[in-house]
Each structure stands twice: as structure tokens, then as C-alpha cells.
Amino acid sequence: MPPKVDVPILKDLTIDNITENVHRINSQSEDARLKYVLERLVSHMHDFARETRLSTNEWLAGIQFLTDVGKKCTDVRQEFILLSDTLGLSLLVDSIDHPKPASSTEGTVLGPYHTHDAKSESLGSSISADPDGEELLCICTVSSTTGSPIANAKIDVWETDSHGNYDVQYSHYSGEKPDGRAVLRSDAQGVFWYKAIVPVPYSIPDDGPVGKMLRKLGRHPWRPSHMHFMFEKEGFDHLITALYLRGDPYETSDAVFGVKESLIIDLNTVTPEQAKKYDVKEGTKLLTYDFVLVTDEETRKLRDQKAAEAMKALGRENMKILEGLPVPDVD
Amino acid sequence: MPPKVDVPILKDLTIDNITENVHRINSQSEDARLKYVLERLVSHMHDFARETRLSTNEWLAGIQFLTDVGKKCTDVRQEFILLSDTLGLSLLVDSIDHPKPASSTEGTVLGPYHTHDAKSESLGSSISADPDGEELLCICTVSSTTGSPIANAKIDVWETDSHGNYDVQYSHYSGEKPDGRAVLRSDAQGVFWYKAIVPVPYSIPDDGPVGKMLRKLGRHPWRPSHMHFMFEKEGFDHLITALYLRGDPYETSDAVFGVKESLIIDLNTVTPEQAKKYDVKEGTKLLTYDFVLVTDEETRKLRDQKAAEAMKALGRENMKILEGLPVPDVD
């Protein structure tokens, strides 16, 4: 037999002392942040079981559910992200990690359909090859919170086709010919424009365990019509967001909690002058939006401030904030 | 477009109001228990994110970890149960679901190695075919909390071989020839006896994501030497338990939090009379234990009582207890 090991001693385990015992064993970690995250995770998981009096059968159903979710994941289907989205966790984490001052564009859920297949396109290109889609001209700007245009920002845009499917959802998709997505660059005036199709509502994939969960909860799996945007520019916080069409049947009941009031837009129709200037048919729908990015420095300050506020509200003392994240302050 | 749907309206979503909005959408479920469990789950998950200021990168690491855990699961390897075991959740759920009066045998973690392959064996059989194991004679009894012997109880026993491996852990295992496990029946006096080998400590499978987690936490993956028992008898609560050898190097730091003081035993040595009576060599190690089962009725009463106490402690009013489980009492 190996020699007696020198680790924290577990006491006689009961419903009431198991949590502190798990904390004691986990306190051996040398990663202060991991230790704190695990401490909160274990405390909440145990409190959840105690508060619901979780039965063995329910626990087993949970184990089976998580296993099914894992088995459903592939390179083009992330069922755990879908689960996180449908329980509001994704929106929450994005809001925490990317705090926004009032003057800037709010973020929202990334969703599972962003890919790295999108081609770089020049301004004015069409991102959609779908002949059944209703043509949409998009003219947007991107600037800083002080109103300066941001040139040469990298902008990922992506949307479904007119059937409500992303390119990766088709079994014949190979990554060679992405559709409904492109990578653009803003011009010197911070303007980027492109042609697309009017977004339509679509159902999140509900043929897996998450769909089953939604049905048990009496929930529909629909997302309101939207277009995704992701902005990257050195010195500015990564912005993942989307614009939603006002009046959509699912505007107030998005299955993944992505809609924010400031991200709901009305489409217009191009003027005859715009039709000529941008080479689109008269009567074409028009999307315009002015995106506002937050600098890394502004974001860092806000993160630190919000983290300190959260620790205060939690009544946690002896915490320090490292890179925007709270960790125990042990000397 | 489909017509505007008639579901609870989500308000403009923020870090602070997302939780109540998720509850509102989930409140459409007609299953009161599911609704309550989800409400507590979502509240704890969101509080966890808010209290840790969970970053997008950490969230993504969590998504990847859960996906890896799911991918590791097979018919003979349940990595999610291992995860639950190593975070103390399994022990907690078992303790909640199977409350025990002071006079009865405590339960402990089932672990992932129970199978339905074990053959029914007559009393006195050897459950181990391992020639390298140290022979062990086991003479146990099973009775009720009032001291009456329980005849014809179904008893599953299982243990590793002398190398610390369960039969199912060998790649050549087919289910045809189970080893280290058997199903026994107690006799009219509530006695069951069999031959086995002295249990040895073993490492839980640590070649997967859970092993990686333990290493990051500075934890060892060892379980102290033990033998598993599962009792089934009509009218009595299912008892899943195990006996642990005193003095084991991992006695106070079980990787899955299974050890309870009342389940730690000292092995003895058979007397010359016992050696003759039970047909074992002199000097053979002897395990004895008197198991005490709780009736279904006692268990039901205790479950209701403990659930009511938990709801009181939580300050939840308007709850009723249905089959031992709390649900909101809405009229």
C-alpha cells in the first residue's frame, strides 16, 4: 500500500458538512482564480441539491441529459452552447465580460453558428447567394464612444438564408463555399456597407436534448429575425452583437434571450438616389445602424469597477481584482 | 411569418433582470416539480456567474470541459457520474434521497462500476477468481431497525481485483464472465456469507477530463480500499453502501467523498473453528458487518420531514411536499 497521504482530512460526511469538506480538498489548488470559481460552483451545486431535495432519479436524469448533450456535440453543432443560450447563461456571461457604457452598442449572444470559413469581401459585396431572399442593403458605421470613426475594423457578419438555415446546417456544406457570411473592413470614415437578405425568424435546432427540454418546459424554440455582427479592432473591446427586426412574432420571446431594446431596428426602403448610388433595385429594403465600440481601457476600468461592486454586494471581503476577475487576497 | 406568439414577454435583458425573465419563460411548464427544480438551477447558475464575474473565456472552457466529459462517456465509463462523485454531489444526493434514522446503516456513493452482469450465487460462493488476491471470508447479517432478521434480501456485492480494477475496466471484458461481483440472497436468519478478496485502494479513472480537473486542483484520484453493497427487499428502502478498511492511506481523503465513520471496519482473522466451518484456510481474513435496512414507510416519513425542514430553512412558503419532494403549492 502507498504511504498515508498528507492532504486535508475529510470529516465524517453529512448533508450539512459535505460542502466545506469539498472546499477543503479543492483548496490544495495553486490557482487562486480556479479555487474561487470552484468554491462558488460547488457551493451553488450543493445548495441546489439541498433546496430541491434532489432525488436520485432526478440526479440520474440530469446525468443522462448532460451525457446526451455531450453526445450531440459535433464540429458544427454545439449543444452545450445551445443549453447555455436557452437558460440565459450566455447572455449573462457576455454582459458581465463586456460591460458597456451607456453611449456604446450593447452586446448579445454569439450563438453556435459563427465560423471561421467566411471570406474577406470588399465593401458593397453581397454576402448571400440565396435567390429566394428579399434583397437588403446594409449601410452601417462604426465609431468610438467619443464619436471618432473607426477605420479598418474587422467586421464579421452572418445570417441565415431565406429558409432560416445557416450554411453549416446543410449536410452538403463543406466550408468551401460559405453563404450568408463575410468578413468586411470599415473604410476611412468608419463606414461599411454590403448587400444581404432580409433576416427571417428561425427555430434553433430542436431535434436534440435541448429541444426536448424546451418542449418539457412548454417553450417554443424560435429566434426572432436578426443579423449577427462581430467587431475586432486593436485597442477596442471585441463586440459580439446582433440587430433584431421590430415587429417580429418572436421579438419578446427569443428562445435564447438575445434581444435588447437598443438592438431592435426598423428597416427602411432605399431612396431612388440610394438605389442608383449603391446599385440596387428601387424599393430595396435598407438597414442602417451606427455601432459604437468601447476601448480596451474603458472596458478594463468598467470590469474592475463592476467586479468590485459584485464582491461588495456578495459581502466577500479580502478579495482583490486581477484582470477584471475577483480572486481571494491571501498573503 | 408565423403569428405573434402568446407567451410571457421578456423585458429588456440586463445582468440583473435576466434571471427573473428566464423564470418567467420557464413558468409555462405544466410540471410543477420540473418548474421548481429549473427555477433553483437557473438561479444558482446565474448567481454563480455573477459572483465569479465569469469571463467569456472561462465560460468557453466550461463548455469545452462538459463536452469532453460527454464525449468520454461509454457504456462502461460514466464520466459525468465521476464528475458528480468528485465534487461531492453524488454523496449529497444519496444522503438526501435516503435519509437514515440513527439506528440504521448509512448509505454512500454508488460509483460507476455497478453492473447488471453479476450472476446469482449461493451462499458461501467465492465472488473473486483472482489468484493474486488475499482471501477474505465475509459473514454479514441484514435486519430491520427493530432488530428482526430480513430473509431473502437481494444483495449485490462488488469489488476490484487485487490490481484495483473492476472486471468492466479490462478491454477484453464481455459481460459473460463477471468477476469480483455476485448477487446473493440472505437466509432465514438474515445471514449472508461469501468468499472474496481483501479490497485494495485504487485510482478512479484519471485519463479523462475529470482526472485533468483533479490534477489542476492538486488532488489525488485515489479511493480507499472498500467493498460495495446494494440491498433490495420489498417494503424496505434500497440501500447502496460500502465498507471501508480502517488505516487505509486514503481513509481520510477519498477522491469521491464516500467514507463515513460508521462504514469503516477492522478486518479480523478467522478462528480455527470458523476456518473449519466455512472451509477456508486458517489465518484467512474475516469481514463481519450487521447491516440495518429502513422500511419504505420510515423512509417516506423522514423524507417528508426533512423536505419540510429544508423549505422552512430556505424561507420558501406556499410549498407542499409530494412524494418527499417539494413543489410550489398553487391553487
Side-chain angles (χ1 to χ4, degrees), chain A residues 64 69 95 123 128 171 181 184 203 237 239 261 281 305 326:
Chain A
Q64 193 52 55
V69 171
S95 304
L123 294 182
S128 173
S171 55
R181 59 181 86 234
L184 305 165
S203 166
D237 191 39
L239 171 64
E261 194 55 42
K281 280 196 288 284
Q305 179 197 323

Side-chain angles (χ1 to χ4, degrees), chain A residues 133-155:
Chain A
E134 183 183 356
E135 199 179 6
L136 177 69
L137 176 66
C138 306
I139 309 177
C140 304
T141 67
V142 52
S143 65
S144 70
T145 52
T146 57
S148 312
I150 299 176
N152 201 31
K154 181 183 169 199
I155 307 135

Side-chain angles (χ1 to χ4, degrees), chain A residues 91 94 98 100 105-111 114 156 158 228-232 237-242 260 263 291 293, chain B residues 56:
Chain A
L91 190 276
D94 183 74
H98 300 281
K100 306 290 180 199
T105 302
E106 291 190 275
T108 185
V109 289
L110 171 64
H114 178 255
D156 258 89
W158 67 106
H228 290 277
F229 297 84
M230 184 193 284
F231 295 84
E232 286 172 78
D237 191 39
H238 206 74
L239 171 64
I240 295 168
T241 193
K260 293 181 177 180
L263 303 174
F291 293 93
L293 304 191
Chain B
T56 302

Side-chain angles (χ1 to χ4, degrees), chain B residues 126-148:
Chain B
S126 175
I127 69 165
S128 173
D130 181 355
D132 300 328
E134 182 183 357
E135 200 179 4
L136 177 69
L137 176 66
C138 306
I139 308 177
C140 303
T141 67
V142 50
S143 65
S144 70
T145 52
T146 56
S148 312

Side-chain angles (χ1 to χ4, degrees), chain A residues 10 12 26 33 36 40 44 46 51-52 56 58-59 67 71 73 78 87 97 219 252 261 311, chain B residues 10 12 26 33 36 40 44 46 51-52 56 58 67 71 73 78 84 87 97 219 252 261 311:
Chain A
L10 297 177
D12 199 26
N26 286 347
R33 173 68 183 165
Y36 178 59
R40 298 318 306 153
H44 280 295
H46 287 195
E51 291 173 4
T52 57
T56 302
E58 291 170 335
W59 167 83
T67 305
K71 296 287 179 204
C73 293
Q78 229 307 347
L87 294 180
D97 203 33
R219 288 172 54 177
T252 58
E261 194 55 42
M311 288 309 98
Chain B
L10 297 178
D12 199 26
N26 286 346
R33 173 68 182 164
Y36 178 59
R40 298 317 306 152
H44 280 295
H46 287 195
E51 291 172 5
T52 57
T56 302
E58 290 171 335
T67 305
K71 296 288 179 202
C73 294
Q78 229 308 347
S84 167
L87 294 180
D97 203 33
R219 288 172 53 178
T252 58
E261 195 55 40
M311 287 309 98

Side-chain angles (χ1 to χ4, degrees), chain B residues 1-282:
Chain B
M1 280 201 187
K4 196 101 179 176
V5 290
D6 181 25
V7 299
I9 288 176
L10 297 178
K11 304 216 183 102
D12 199 26
L13 301 171
T14 67
I15 292 178
D16 298 314
N17 75 18
I18 176 77
T19 309
E20 62 198 77
N21 275 284
V22 176
H23 292 338
R24 196 175 315 129
I25 283 271
N26 286 346
S27 70
Q28 299 173 86
S29 174
E30 284 174 5
D31 181 335
R33 173 68 182 164
L34 178 66
K35 221 170 357 185
Y36 178 59
V37 169
L38 255 282
E39 183 225 286
R40 298 317 306 152
L41 180 73
V42 168
S43 286
H44 280 295
M45 205 167 64
H46 287 195
D47 282 347
F48 162 69
R50 280 186 286 251
E51 291 172 5
T52 57
R53 310 295 300 172
L54 197 69
S55 75
T56 302
N57 283 340
E58 290 171 335
W59 168 82
L60 202 57
I63 293 282
Q64 193 52 54
F65 176 75
L66 292 172
T67 305
D68 292 345
V69 171
K71 296 288 179 202
K72 194 76 191 169
C73 294
T74 66
D75 285 351
V76 294
R77 169 90 176 249
Q78 229 308 347
E79 193 82 356
F80 271 115
I81 292 187
L82 214 55
L83 179 61
S84 167
D85 291 353
T86 53
L87 294 180
L89 181 64
S90 306
L91 191 275
L92 177 58
V93 169
D94 183 75
S95 304
I96 289 171
D97 203 33
H98 299 282
K100 305 291 179 198
S103 56
S104 66
T105 302
E106 290 189 274
T108 185
V109 289
L110 171 64
Y113 294 117
H114 178 255
T115 72
H116 295 282
D117 298 339
K119 303 267 190 279
S120 287
E121 304 284 357
S122 51
L123 294 183
S125 298
S126 175
I127 69 165
S128 173
D130 181 355
D132 300 328
E134 182 183 357
E135 200 179 4
L136 177 69
L137 176 66
C138 306
I139 308 177
C140 303
T141 67
V142 50
S143 65
S144 70
T145 52
T146 56
S148 312
I150 299 176
N152 201 31
K154 181 184 169 198
I155 306 135
D156 258 89
V157 294
W158 68 106
E159 64 169 341
T160 70
D161 64 14
S162 62
H163 304 286
N165 294 316
Y166 289 95
D167 52 7
V168 292
Q169 292 182 276
Y170 288 100
S171 55
H172 58 72
Y173 180 74
S174 71
E176 294 293 309
K177 282 190 182 169
D179 185 44
R181 58 181 86 234
V183 176
L184 306 165
R185 293 273 174 182
S186 55
D187 69 15
Q189 283 72 48
V191 176
F192 63 100
W193 66 283
Y194 59 99
K195 293 165 191 165
I197 59 174
V198 175
V200 295
Y202 64 82
S203 166
I204 59 168
D206 67 345
D207 60 337
V210 171
K212 213 164 148 184
M213 177 188 82
L214 292 183
R215 283 187 291 280
K216 282 205 175 180
L217 289 170
R219 288 172 53 178
H220 72 68
W222 290 86
R223 297 215 63 202
S225 313
H226 64 279
M227 189 175 290
H228 290 277
F229 297 84
M230 184 193 283
F231 295 84
E232 287 172 77
K233 173 71 188 181
E234 219 189 307
F236 289 88
D237 190 39
H238 206 72
L239 171 64
I240 294 167
T241 193
L243 298 178
Y244 298 87
L245 304 193
R246 193 183 312 282
D248 186 281
Y250 306 109
E251 181 184 333
T252 58
S253 64
D254 184 359
V256 304
F257 306 97
V259 184
K260 293 181 178 181
E261 195 55 40
S262 69
L263 302 174
I264 301 176
I265 54 162
D266 290 292
L267 294 187
N268 290 313
T269 303
V270 294
T271 61
E273 295 71 37
Q274 285 174 320
K276 195 173 281 177
K277 180 174 173 189
Y278 293 104
D279 189 25
V280 294
K281 280 195 287 285
E282 281 197 33

